[in-house]
Amino acid sequence: EVVTELRAKMSIKGLETYMSLKLAFKKEESKTSGLLEFEDFIACLREIAGIYLTVRETGTLKRSFCGEGIMAKELNYIDFLAELKGQMSERRKEYIEKIWDSFKAEKVKTEELKKRAGAKYSAVFNGLPSELDRQSFFEMMEGVDAMMPFHDDRFAQKMFEMFGVYEFAFDDEKSAESRKLAQLEEVFIEKIRQKTKPGMKEKDFLKKAFRFIDVDGNECIDKMELKKVMKRFGIDIDRKMLIALFQKFDINEDGQIEYSEFCKRLFPDQKPA
């Protein structure tokens, strides 16, 4: 019960909290691998997860994860982390399997995953080996899962933002497509922003972003160019969603996205320069 409560509190801090705790525990562990001075454990919870244990929580954790006698001062943080992970639902496991299959490789480089997920989620991959196989990827995702114990729809949204793979099973049939389309546009715009320099003025950002997509330089974007840039961004998109996203930008419905339309969609109040 106490670990469940802690998991809920940690979920507010961010998806990287589990991995950050794991690294902090490892750094502070005692001479015996897997053990941590209880005071160091409390300090890690406070500094990494912003959690201040109550007297009841302290007593419960000591009884559950500390040994007897002299060992009572040390906590088995490996058992604690295993308990903190909890049990991933079958539905989420299937979703993670789908994400792994999208990589189409037996191993994937951690740096590539970082780039695919973007700066917003890069901390999730801290402390991982340079390459991940299926098992190590699932172990990492179990930690991410633990930091999102509620709301499968939010879990699906975060996974889509990180890996560009959507799972309709988390939505009711009526809202699934509209929600995916909204998320597609959000991720698409965020990926474009990542290609620009921090502090860049809006008009300069818009010009650079448009030229990045307009590969043939004919001052308009067609569906093929949009499809290619989505692929470069690592976003999985089918033909139906591609057309729907294209139509959001093609305001005058002439089959191409002009610079003025592109500007209006990204910044409705910004006049094209």
Side-chain angles (χ1 to χ4, degrees):
E1 182 182 348
V2 168
V3 175
T4 301
E5 292 172 2
L6 293 179
R7 188 186 303 128
K9 292 177 183 178
M10 290 180 193
S11 67
I12 300 172
K13 294 293 290 183
L15 300 185
E16 73 281 0
T17 306
Y18 178 90
M19 182 57 69
S20 298
L21 270 179
K22 184 176 180 180
L23 293 174
F25 290 162
K26 182 68 177 175
K27 182 179 179 181
E28 298 296 333
E29 72 178 356
S30 61
K31 293 180 181 179
T32 305
S33 179
L35 295 182
L36 185 69
E37 289 286 338
F38 194 77
E39 292 303 316
D40 291 334
F41 169 76
I42 291 176
C44 287
L45 285 182
R46 183 173 61 248
E47 294 169 11
I48 303 297
I51 290 177
Y52 291 79
L53 296 176
T54 65
V55 174
R56 178 183 68 88
E57 291 170 339
T58 299
T60 301
L61 290 173
K62 275 190 173 182
R63 289 191 297 273
S64 301
F65 301 105
C66 292
E68 298 179 357
I70 192 170
M71 296 297 288
K73 294 182 179 179
E74 294 182 317
L75 176 138
N76 188 318
Y77 73 82
I78 293 178
D79 287 350
F80 171 77
L81 288 173
E83 185 73 17
L84 185 63
K85 277 185 179 181
Q87 185 65 40
M88 186 186 293
S89 69
E90 289 302 318
R91 191 159 62 161
R92 290 192 181 189
K93 285 181 182 177
E94 291 174 2
Y95 190 4
I96 302 305
E97 188 74 54
K98 182 176 180 179
I99 292 172
W100 176 256
D101 289 343
S102 74
F103 301 150
K104 297 182 172 139
E106 293 184 2
K107 290 186 177 182
V108 59
K109 293 185 181 300
T110 304
E111 280 302 314
E112 289 300 317
L113 291 179
K114 273 190 175 184
K115 290 179 183 178
R116 187 166 180 171
K120 183 178 178 181
Y121 300 108
S122 62
V124 171
F125 304 94
N126 288 345
L128 294 174
S130 59
E131 286 188 332
L132 300 179
D133 57 15
R134 181 184 178 280
Q135 181 179 344
S136 54
F137 177 75
F138 266 74
E139 288 175 355
M140 179 202 75
M141 294 308 299
E142 285 173 352
V144 173
D145 170 72
M147 296 298 96
M148 296 196 69
F150 315 112
H151 309 300
D152 279 345
D153 58 337
R154 286 189 65 242
F155 178 81
Q157 179 181 348
K158 296 297 183 184
M159 294 302 98
F160 179 71
E161 290 175 2
M162 291 175 70
F163 303 110
V165 179
Y166 195 80
E167 180 51 70
F168 281 96
F170 288 92
D171 284 317
D172 60 86
E173 187 174 349
K174 185 177 180 180
S175 64
E177 290 191 12
S178 60
R179 181 172 297 188
K180 180 181 179 181
L181 182 58
Q183 291 175 348
L184 265 173
E185 184 176 16
E186 181 181 340
V187 174
F188 173 60
I189 293 173
E190 177 61 27
K191 292 291 186 181
I192 290 175
R193 287 187 181 279
Q194 292 173 12
K195 294 293 182 183
T196 59
K197 296 179 180 179
M200 182 178 286
K201 293 181 180 179
E202 283 186 2
K203 64 178 182 179
D204 295 328
F205 158 72
L206 288 166
K207 286 180 179 178
K208 183 171 182 178
F210 188 83
R211 290 168 184 162
F212 179 76
I213 304 170
D214 180 25
V215 179
D216 61 12
N218 67 346
E219 299 186 356
C220 65
I221 298 170
D222 58 31
K223 293 185 182 70
M224 186 56 65
E225 287 173 321
L226 181 60
K227 181 179 180 180
K228 286 180 179 178
V229 79
M230 296 296 274
K231 186 175 182 180
R232 289 175 67 183
F233 287 156
I235 299 175
D236 184 33
I237 184 171
D238 58 29
R239 178 174 173 76
K240 186 176 182 179
M241 283 294 107
L242 176 70
I243 293 173
L245 180 63
F246 188 88
Q247 290 173 342
K248 273 182 167 282
F249 284 83
D250 183 18
I251 298 172
N252 64 9
E253 301 180 355
D254 65 350
Q256 58 186 13
I257 302 170
E258 298 169 359
Y259 179 65
S260 59
E261 294 173 311
F262 183 76
C263 294
K264 190 171 183 179
R265 188 65 195 176
L266 266 65
F267 295 107
D269 300 325
Q270 173 76 35
K271 293 182 179 179

